Amino acid sequence: MEYPLYVRRDGEAGFRASFPDFPRADVRGSSFGELKRNAQEMVELMYDRSEQLIPAPTGSTSELHALDMDDGEGLWMFIDINLARVTSRAVAVQFSLLESLLKQVDAAAKERHMTRSTFFTLATVHELENR
């Protein structure tokens, strides 16, 4: 699956990147190739044999550019994360929500530097853990 990654320079000889869909994943590499390999490894370590739901990738560039992590200093790239090596799987869900509530969700997600999908995933996990 193609996941967006926001990449910035990290010193003179490296790169640092963040996933909006995986807010805890901070990836570094001395080249784009190494950055991509490290990103794949990070997702595998975070989700393999985990009961956590892997969020679907954000595909909306307007949603990505609205995130606080897009400070204009870096660039967006989409990288293929091979989920065949990871046992947890995400599925698409469609539901209705009051517009005012959706605006609150979007504001809270933006404040936490995450996408709407990630926010809903984490909120769902939180509710299930507290039942």
Side-chain angles (χ1 to χ4, degrees):
M1 296 185 98
E2 296 277 321
Y3 280 90
L5 190 64
Y6 192 69
V7 182
R8 292 179 204 82
R9 286 297 242 163
D10 188 26
E12 292 294 317
F15 301 96
R16 181 178 184 171
S18 303
F19 287 100
D21 298 305
F22 306 115
R24 295 181 315 230
D26 187 39
V27 185
R28 293 175 190 256
S30 58
S31 67
F32 282 124
E34 183 179 12
L35 191 71
K36 289 178 182 182
R37 285 189 300 279
N38 291 345
Q40 173 72 38
E41 186 176 303
M42 176 67 72
V43 172
E44 287 178 17
L45 289 172
M46 288 174 63
Y47 290 95
D48 192 33
R49 295 189 177 95
S50 166
E51 291 191 20
Q52 295 180 62
L53 181 66
I54 298 173
T58 301
S60 165
T61 54
S62 61
E63 191 175 344
L64 292 173
H65 288 295
L67 295 172
D68 284 341
M69 70 173 40
D70 188 344
D71 59 6
E73 300 284 320
L75 61 93
W76 285 103
M77 63 187 294
F78 284 81
I79 64 167
D80 185 35
I81 299 293
N82 182 357
L83 297 176
R85 301 182 208 163
V86 182
T87 57
S88 179
R89 300 288 175 149
V91 295
V93 177
Q94 183 176 352
F95 58 93
S96 298
L97 196 62
L98 292 171
E99 185 177 4
S100 60
L101 187 55
L102 184 59
K103 287 180 181 180
Q104 291 177 46
V105 166
D106 287 343
K110 183 176 181 177
E111 183 178 294
R112 291 174 178 86
H113 308 287
M114 63 178 70
T115 63
R116 181 187 293 163
S117 294
T118 302
F119 184 88
F120 281 125
T121 299
L122 293 175
T124 302
V125 169
H126 180 288
E127 285 300 312
L128 291 172
E129 287 173 348
N130 291 321
R131 59 178 193 150

